[in-house]
Amino acid sequence: MLGDKVRKSLRDLDRPLSALRPAADMVPPFHKLAVDVIWAGFRIDPDAVRPFLPDGLVLSPASIGVLGIYQAPSGYGIAPYMRGLVGVSVEGVRGSDIGEGMFVIGNIMDEPGAATMRKFYSGATVEGVARTWRDGELLHGVASVGGVDWLRATIRPGELRPALSGVDNFLGLTDAGLIKHADSTVADLADAEIVTLEITDAAPDYMRALRPVEHVFALDAVRVNSIWSEPRVVGRTASGNAASVFLALIEDTGRAAAVVRQDGTLIEANASGRVLLGPDGPKAGEPLLSGVAAEKHALCQALKMSCARKGPRVSEPIALTRPGGGHLLAYVMPLEHGEHGGDAALVLLADPRGPERRDAAQMLQLFGLTGAEARLAALVGVGHAPRGAAAELRISEHTARSTLKTVYDKLGINKQSELGHLVARLQYL
């Protein structure tokens, strides 16, 4: 685990991590409003970084490191605070429920936020200060520990694009183990040019391992409204079987789901699924919702087709009557692996009263697509030509067309219209 190297580095600093603790009733989700955020991405030396990754994590193919410096003057639960951080893009090994995310290797933060950060999100957090300030057309930032600079950056912001939203996944190591949390943001954002970017000699070895080899991008976030979700323990042993792994991954996307046998009985549901099914909904071993014969027949037929790997990747929507009235929509798709892979399927649940258009890219990864493949498939699936999708993703048209062939092979389809049909369903789950 990361403990052998990073924990030793933390001990070698010979600095108390502070006895201060936040109020006992402060638990995630937390909210923050950050200002004048520097966020820079760069390529790293993979061989230098790998020794500092926990078991179960591997570097993403792009090997992108990040450096962030900002101040959060207001919020709930963890703010106000100031922070400098370094991290790297990673993914989980096969058989884990980790998925993709940014692993936070090191944090500099003032108290009491640092104690909260260590407890819930990242044990590799030391007490320090950070600040950013504007000087003409430049935005400067520095993060220090004990009066000594560890991180420095200067960027030149470009044109402002207000009120952009997104969700990012972050990973960290705590006493509970490897955790994952979602950071949902609305930001006033501008692309920027990196003028200088430095992880100094005073920084510990686990931070110096991320020294930039090549600058890739920079962002200036004038204002970021953000909610940090409750952390979830992930890894090979965090979930007992493939059903739990799939359900946990789908929970990260905010969708309701359940694993259901061919005969329509419930095996397990994720947290969002249990909420949607309601307090009077089925328990494990009970039929999924409907006692209406026609609805039960339609559901069991879709389950049978999915378990046999026949028919579409995602079934047509099936209306199921809820206890006490009203309906849910059920979409059935194969459960690819694990002890229930042959006799059960994954059922995605949605409330038909107000379907909300969603980004299908996260769900497409459940079909075995990589993040890059899923993002391309989501764009092409909503009607973008390969050339337009390539421009949007800043890749070549040749790469886009080659990647699409891989996408079609993995999904078992042959043309864009079939991809569009699948994406349309995933958008409204």
Side-chain angles (χ1 to χ4, degrees), residues 61 91 100 359-381 389 393 395 399-411 413 419 422-423:
E91 54 192 48
E100 294 180 310
D359 180 359
Q362 288 178 300
M363 293 295 290
L364 283 166
Q365 293 182 58
L366 298 179
F367 298 108
L369 303 188
T370 66
E373 291 165 351
R375 287 187 288 273
L376 176 64
L379 286 174
V380 173
L393 297 172
I395 59 177
T399 298
R401 292 188 181 278
S402 174
T403 302
L404 272 178
K405 184 179 184 304
T406 301
V407 167
Y408 287 177
D409 288 344
K410 287 185 176 182
L411 296 179
I413 60 179
L419 178 59
L422 174 60
V423 169

Side-chain angles (χ1 to χ4, degrees), residues 107-153:
N107 261 308
I108 300 168
M109 207 163 173
D110 61 331
E111 293 290 5
T116 304
M117 177 66 72
R118 282 191 293 272
K119 179 179 180 180
F120 291 109
Y121 298 116
S122 175
T125 302
V126 295
E127 186 177 350
V129 297
R131 67 187 185 100
T132 55
W133 69 97
R134 296 186 185 273
D135 179 14
E137 63 176 1
L138 300 179
L139 176 61
H140 305 277
V142 63
S144 307
V145 175
V148 179
D149 293 351
W150 285 11
L151 309 175
R152 300 190 195 106

Side-chain angles (χ1 to χ4, degrees), residues 37-45 63-70 83-87 131-132 138-143 149-156 192-201 203 207-220:
V37 177
I38 293 175
W39 194 259
F42 44 88
R43 302 202 189 282
I44 56 163
D45 176 357
S63 295
I64 297 295
V66 297
L67 182 150
I69 305 174
Y70 66 89
R83 186 186 187 196
L85 74 148
V86 290
R131 67 187 185 100
T132 55
L138 300 179
L139 176 61
H140 305 277
V142 63
D149 293 351
W150 285 11
L151 309 175
R152 300 190 195 106
T154 297
I155 62 174
R156 180 177 289 107
E193 172 193 351
I194 296 175
V195 179
T196 62
L197 192 64
E198 185 179 4
I199 301 174
T200 74
D201 290 340
M207 286 192 178
R208 296 197 308 272
L210 266 76
R211 279 177 164 163
V213 173
E214 177 189 0
H215 296 163
V216 176
F217 69 86
L219 299 172
D220 163 32

Side-chain angles (χ1 to χ4, degrees), residues 14 36 64 85 94 180 262 284 314 331 344 349 351-352 410 412:
D14 194 26
D36 294 338
I64 297 295
L85 74 148
R94 188 173 181 83
K180 182 177 185 178
Q262 282 195 55
V314 180
Y331 300 77
L349 301 168
D351 187 339
K410 287 185 176 182

